[in-house]
Amino acid sequence: NQSEASLFFVVPLANLQERIRLSSSLPEGSYRLVYQGMELISHNADTTVSSNAAGAFRIDAAVPQLSLMSLMTSPKDILLLALCLLLLFASIFTLAWRCYRPIRSLSLKHSGGTTTDIKNELLLLDQVITQTRDRSLLLDQKASDQSALLQDYVLLMLLNNSGTATILQDLSNAGIDLPHSHFAVITMTPCKDQLITQENIDILLENVGDITGDIGVMYAVECSHASHTLAIVCNPETPELYDVLIQRLYTYLSAQSRRFLVGTGPLTDRLAGISASYLTALSHLRQLANAQAEKFDRFYRQIPCELYLFQLA
């Protein structure tokens, strides 16, 4: 009778303990015996793991799915699991409280130390963040204004030939870069009876540097607030490009709704010579202003002031 037959095979002594452990853990009807690739005994072993796969005999046994509860073999194991879960939840709660406490302290600080009127601490925190951002923007604006004032101050020092010993370092600290070796100064002021505001001058100062393109740099400063007289430090790449800068300035001013008188100073190849060029440009500007007042006072409303420059030249 095949169902009552017995099969004996030799098991090495070194593997005997492991064989006994594997055999004792096999569920009934879920294993099979294979000898040299030929199945000898089979009992519904669909999902299996193998033992002694390298030898002639191999036992394939089905392994049940492993779960957390299947590992709990005693009340002690269940108690340890519950303790671990409790410690985990306690750690999460402690970490959340440590993160929430500084936010709550910040909210109380900016609300006068009372929680009576606080309906939503996150909303209050958002208000604090908004206030901080607004203050940061205000500080950035103040820093920008201070930087502009410093630049104007250094340019006026340069024009008036003061502080020449440290002027290069002062220019660098103010963010002023004069990369070329030729310098000149152009002065300009609004024509007589032109309505012009400080806002108009500020916009003009911001845009003067954009007309140079790639042929040099220009830095403008208002050297007289009373008459809105501007001084423009020119740093052309070559001497020939100085005339190009002047012509570009005329073209830019001709597109404006208000007219200006423009005085030019000579080129110099020394930084210290900028002061002399500035004085010459101021003298030229005064001549133009006097000529406008004496000869063209009846016609200045109809004739662009740029024409005066060409006529006087």
Side-chain angles (χ1 to χ4, degrees):
N1 189 348
Q2 185 178 359
S3 62
E4 297 177 356
S6 298
L7 176 66
F8 298 92
F9 54 92
V10 179
V11 177
L13 183 60
N15 298 335
L16 182 58
Q17 184 178 2
E18 180 68 13
R19 297 283 186 168
I20 294 174
R21 187 186 69 81
L22 289 174
S23 300
S24 64
S25 62
L26 292 177
E28 184 178 357
S30 298
Y31 61 92
R32 64 184 176 181
L33 179 64
V34 180
Y35 174 69
Q36 292 184 350
M38 180 176 61
E39 185 178 293
L40 301 180
I41 300 175
S42 177
H43 287 279
N44 302 324
D46 296 328
T47 304
T48 63
V49 294
S50 299
S51 173
N52 196 32
F57 283 98
R58 185 178 82 248
I59 298 176
D60 295 341
V63 177
Q65 293 184 351
L66 184 65
S67 64
L68 182 61
M69 295 307 299
S70 66
L71 299 176
M72 303 293 102
T73 58
S74 65
K76 181 180 179 181
D77 295 336
I78 298 177
L79 182 61
L80 289 176
L81 176 63
L83 182 60
C84 291
L85 292 177
L86 182 61
L87 290 176
L88 177 63
F89 289 137
S91 300
I92 294 176
F93 178 79
T94 303
L95 181 61
W97 173 250
R98 287 181 177 273
C99 295
Y100 170 75
R101 188 168 55 183
I103 297 177
R104 186 172 184 275
S105 300
L106 183 62
S107 300
L108 293 176
K109 178 181 178 181
H110 289 274
S111 64
T114 175
T115 59
T116 303
D117 300 328
I118 300 178
K119 303 300 183 182
N120 189 329
E121 292 185 358
L122 291 179
L123 178 60
L124 181 60
L125 179 61
D126 182 68
Q127 294 175 356
V128 172
I129 293 175
T130 301
Q131 293 175 1
T132 304
R133 183 172 61 248
D134 293 341
R135 291 174 184 174
S136 178
L137 293 176
L138 182 60
L139 289 176
D140 290 342
Q141 182 61 41
K142 288 183 178 180
S144 178
D145 294 342
Q146 292 297 324
S147 177
L149 289 175
L150 176 62
Q151 189 174 92
D152 291 349
Y153 175 73
V154 173
L155 285 174
L156 290 174
M157 287 179 55
L158 180 64
L159 293 173
N160 291 280
N161 200 26
S162 59
T164 54
T166 60
I167 193 63
L168 287 176
Q169 185 61 42
D170 293 336
L171 290 172
S172 177
N173 293 338
I176 298 175
D177 182 24
L178 300 174
H180 309 301
S181 58
H182 301 89
F183 313 94
V185 178
I186 301 175
T187 54
M188 54 185 293
T189 191
C191 290
K192 185 179 179 181
D193 295 335
Q194 291 284 294
L195 294 177
I196 193 166
T197 64
Q198 188 61 47
E199 183 180 359
N200 301 138
I201 294 298
D202 292 340
I203 294 176
L204 183 61
L205 290 172
E206 291 177 2
N207 296 331
V208 161
D210 297 333
I211 69 176
T212 59
D214 57 351
I215 63 175
V217 295
M218 281 183 174
Y219 291 97
V221 59
E222 189 175 8
C223 53
S224 175
H225 294 281
S227 60
H228 292 308
T229 300
L230 306 183
I232 304 174
V233 179
C234 300
N235 184 216
E237 188 174 357
T238 62
E240 295 77 13
L241 293 177
Y242 180 46
D243 294 332
V244 179
L245 289 179
I246 296 175
Q247 187 59 46
R248 287 188 179 183
L249 181 61
Y250 285 149
T251 302
Y252 173 76
L253 293 176
S254 66
Q256 307 304 311
S257 59
R258 296 166 179 82
R259 300 304 182 207
F260 294 82
L261 294 174
V262 179
T264 58
L267 271 174
T268 177
D269 57 358
R270 297 180 302 110
L271 197 63
I274 289 182
S275 179
S277 181
Y278 170 59
L279 294 177
T280 303
L282 280 180
S283 177
H284 186 196
L285 192 62
R286 293 192 195 97
Q287 294 176 10
L288 294 175
N290 293 334
Q292 178 195 9
E294 294 174 3
K295 299 182 180 180
F296 305 106
D297 187 62
R298 293 176 300 174
F299 307 103
Y300 77 93
R301 294 183 184 275
Q302 292 80 20
I303 304 176
C305 292
E306 286 83 357
L307 297 180
Y308 307 158
L309 301 176
F310 296 115
Q311 291 178 12
L312 290 175

